[in-house]
Amino acid sequence: MIKKQLFSPGPTPVPERVLLAMAGPMMHHRDPGYEVLFQEVREGLKYVFQTKQEVLVLASSGTGAMEAAVCNTLSRGDEVLVVRGGKFGERWGEICEAYGVNVTPLDVTWGQAVDPGLIKKALDAKPAIKAVLVQASETSTGVMHPIKEIADIVKNRAGTILIVDAISALGVSDLPMDQWGIDVVVSGSQKALMLPPGLAFIALSAKAWGFAEKANLPKFYFNLKEELAVAQKNQSQFTPAISLIVGLREALKMLKEEGLENVFKRHALLARATREAAKALGLELLAPTAPSDALTAIKAPEGVDGKKLKKNFEDQFGLIIAGGQSQLKGKIIRIAHIGYFQSLDIIQAVSTLELVLKGLGYPVKLGAGVKVAEEILSAA
Ligand SMILES: *Cc1c(COP(=O)(O)O)cnc(C)c1O
């Protein structure tokens, strides 16, 4: 028997409470009960985004909200600066190019965080740049970019907005949209929000809504101005993903009950235990200096095939982790601890790492990683 468990950075495990909530009979979205439900969801999302702005809910995967961020704030021929330090940074560039927006890439070595000084330099050199697009947590490399520092640079420039893909950062690490002055925050359902895939979220600052007034890129399904008007009446332009919204209410309740501060602390602790355990096994982290607390990217040791590592996690122990993408294919594994994870899940992942490495002939002292993880988890 193999019990399958998700340790991937999306989709992530869905709590039983959320699954049960979604299993109820289908509701109609023109029913008054739906408006009560959606009102509660809108409040909960503002809490998680740490914003007074409306958080719009779209029926799409996270990339839909990325696309909406671009086509609602920019115009054809606009100049943008895109931080490209991984697969999702590249995606920002691809979306902009698809819409005829001129991309100035700021390439960052995969596994490293962007130097905010380089963003300032690029903006000074090209004052026409209308937006800086970046990931908070770059899921393909396990890096956390310094969003607060970047926001400090962008917020005083009237002609430039900061657009942040927080799909694997929201609900993991502190990212107070209003307080830091982030203009657009994008997220998705299947990461720290502990839901199945299918919902995307986007919030715009007053400055970004000003950009939306002038943006001329084509849009229909993702017209955020129209979505805002109906959202404030607890409705949506098109049929909402009703079951997911029902699940979202439950997931938001769970986050509220735990408290955002504690949610951040839990992720930080699980991430630290994972990183230190990997190091105790003699392994190297891909992002040692600026790690994301959503996942840990670990380099496959010399002579061990990363693809085989990932495969054995799943085939032998049922743990579904992620491998490397593009240039990192076969070179790393990514173990997620984002969303519905607790300390014992980490022990399980670290123990599996030891067993799989041993099976592949890598010299590992069984229990060495588990010991370090337990020490960290028990000290908290
Ligand atoms: C998962 C993820 C996405 C993509 O989301 P989809 O839901 O697959 O469209 C984008 N950016 C980051 C940082 C992610 O982690």
Side-chain angles (χ1 to χ4, degrees), residues 232-249:
Q232 286 169 336
K233 292 183 238 157
N234 294 314
Q235 277 296 339
S236 59
Q237 276 202 91
F238 310 107
T239 311
I242 300 166
S243 309
L244 290 171
I245 306 273
V246 171
L248 177 58
R249 167 167 57 183

Side-chain angles (χ1 to χ4, degrees), residues 9-11 60-66 87-89 91-92 134-140 165-169 186-191 197-200 294-295 334 338:
S60 74
S61 83
T63 306
M66 292 174 75
K87 191 106 183 98
F88 294 108
R91 186 168 299 174
W92 272 137
V134 65
Q135 273 53 46
S137 155
E138 171 53 80
T139 318
S140 64
D165 165 3
I167 296 178
S168 69
V186 165
S187 197
S189 56
Q190 80 277 25
K191 312 264 165 117
L199 291 181
L295 73 156
R334 292 176 296 150
I338 168 172

Side-chain angles (χ1 to χ4, degrees), residues 1-5 304-305 307-321 348-349 351-362 364 366:
M1 185 198 85
I2 289 276
K3 190 157 105 186
K4 295 246 177 185
Q5 281 172 273
V304 174
D305 178 7
K307 279 192 208 128
K308 191 86 184 129
L309 255 179
K310 172 187 153 35
K311 191 172 180 323
N312 288 3
F313 255 80
E314 181 166 349
D315 293 354
Q316 298 174 353
F317 301 98
L319 267 59
I320 299 164
I321 60 168
Q348 193 181 8
S351 170
T352 308
L353 179 60
E354 293 177 357
L355 293 167
V356 167
L357 283 169
K358 187 175 163 67
L360 290 171
Y362 175 81
V364 23
L366 288 182

Side-chain angles (χ1 to χ4, degrees), residues 282-295:
L283 302 175
E284 246 186 277
L285 304 176
L286 179 70
T289 49
S292 161
D293 286 339
L295 73 156

Side-chain angles (χ1 to χ4, degrees), residues 247-281:
L248 177 58
R249 167 167 57 183
E250 200 60 30
L252 289 169
K253 257 192 226 165
M254 288 177 70
L255 292 171
K256 193 85 198 271
E257 281 166 15
E258 186 176 1
L260 267 191
E261 280 295 303
N262 295 323
V263 170
F264 301 151
K265 274 191 208 154
R266 173 168 54 86
H267 281 91
L269 178 70
L270 301 186
R272 187 157 61 87
T274 310
R275 291 193 292 263
E276 294 307 317
K279 287 198 261 174
L281 294 172

Side-chain angles (χ1 to χ4, degrees), residues 110-161:
W110 288 30
Q112 289 177 16
V114 67
D115 170 2
L118 295 178
I119 291 183
K120 182 172 185 306
K121 220 168 123 186
L123 292 178
D124 288 342
K126 238 191 221 181
I129 288 174
K130 286 189 67 180
V132 176
L133 297 102
V134 65
Q135 273 53 46
S137 155
E138 171 53 80
T139 318
S140 64
T141 61
V143 161
M144 189 76 181
H145 288 304
I147 299 302
K148 185 177 190 304
E149 286 76 4
I150 300 171
D152 283 341
I153 292 163
V154 178
K155 71 182 175 201
N156 297 321
R157 296 173 194 246
T160 313
I161 51 170

